[in-house]
Amino acid sequence: MTGLGLPIFDKAIQDANSWLNDIMYELDWEDKHRAFTLLRSTLHILRDRLHANENAHFAAQLPTLIRGVFYEGYQPAKYSANIRHRGQFVEAVMAAFGDSPKDDPVATVSGALNVIADHISEGEMDDIKATLPEDIRKLWY
């Protein structure tokens, strides 16, 4: 018997933890909740910056639990074309942390985006980057 009784749930939790562990490793963090906050916020800002069709292609490659986080609160009509610069994107992601002390915001968001890119096909990441303004694309290294 598995921990939760259904292998698909166990796999979903295992996959989500893998993503969070990768973020913690990338940023040298020890707080899984903080890693989750960063992943969730990054996914939401990215989602709201992409068109619905591109979101569907991207979400299809996400693990089950991460896909649920990605679509949490999604409103397809809420397309945020007003986020056009790297600084605006970073500020929007980091807003999830409120007034708590932050590491270098650009490095933090870049780290999250790079972990996401490590888990998504190169072709899909190229498609996503192509839809974003050049200044935001600079966040990936």
Side-chain angles (χ1 to χ4, degrees), residues 12-43:
I13 291 170
Q14 191 175 40
D15 290 344
N17 274 315
S18 175
W19 282 53
L20 296 177
N21 290 339
D22 288 351
I23 287 173
M24 290 175 10
Y25 179 80
E26 176 80 15
L27 298 172
D28 196 26
W29 288 2
E30 295 183 14
D31 184 342
K32 194 167 276 194
H33 185 266
R34 189 173 176 210
F36 173 75
T37 299
L38 176 62
L39 177 60
R40 180 177 178 264
S41 184
T42 304
L43 287 171

Side-chain angles (χ1 to χ4, degrees), residues 3 8 11-12 19 29 54 71 80 89 111-112 116 119 129 131 133:
I8 193 167
K11 173 90 168 89
W19 282 53
W29 288 2
E54 189 58 50
Y71 277 123
S80 295
F89 191 93
I116 291 167
H119 288 274
K129 290 175 190 176
T131 67

Side-chain angles (χ1 to χ4, degrees), residues 85-127:
H85 301 284
R86 179 174 56 170
Q88 293 171 310
F89 191 93
V90 168
E91 184 178 315
V93 170
M94 296 306 288
F97 291 97
D99 293 332
S100 65
K102 300 172 183 78
D103 296 322
D104 175 8
V106 173
T108 299
V109 173
S110 289
L113 289 169
N114 287 320
V115 168
I116 291 167
D118 288 346
H119 288 274
I120 301 298
S121 74
E122 187 176 342
E124 184 56 34
M125 285 312 306
D126 288 345
D127 289 348

